[in-house]
Amino acid sequence: MFLLFGTRAHRAVINVVSFVCGYCGTLAQQRVVKKSTKFTLFLVPLFPLARSYANECTNCGGTTRLTATQVRHSLDWATSRAAEG
């Protein structure tokens, strides 16, 4: 019997917001990215092993780790801004 298992990393952009970057100091778009690692069996992802969030500057590439609460806040802020304009 041959068993094929491992892990697979996946990145997904959740939101894009604009504010001044803490690294380069310029007003630029910031991507909110979800990084997850899933356990795979026969190359089929079954369940997540780890999950993390980060903020990536599109100008300099600087990254800052985020919590799930901060990500929810950025989504709420983006939807409220879309409803206003």
Side-chain angles (χ1 to χ4, degrees), residues 1-84:
M1 180 177 204
F2 185 64
L3 187 63
L4 186 62
F5 65 93
T7 60
R8 178 181 298 167
H10 182 2
R11 291 173 33 104
V13 176
I14 296 176
N15 193 10
V16 178
V17 294
S18 293
F19 59 88
V20 177
C21 175
Y23 292 103
C24 62
T26 61
L27 179 64
Q29 290 186 338
Q30 311 289 322
R31 289 186 296 246
V32 178
V33 179
K34 175 183 174 183
K35 300 174 187 177
S36 61
T37 303
K38 294 186 178 183
F39 176 79
T40 60
L41 183 62
F42 295 108
L43 304 176
V44 177
L46 296 178
F47 55 87
L49 295 174
R51 181 180 314 148
S52 65
Y53 301 97
N55 183 47
E56 297 178 349
C57 178
T58 58
N59 184 48
C60 69
T63 61
T64 305
R65 297 197 77 165
L66 298 175
T67 64
T69 305
Q70 290 171 319
V71 172
R72 270 187 259 114
H73 178 70
S74 76
L75 289 170
D76 293 341
W77 181 81
T79 54
S80 69
R81 296 281 299 195
E84 289 175 5

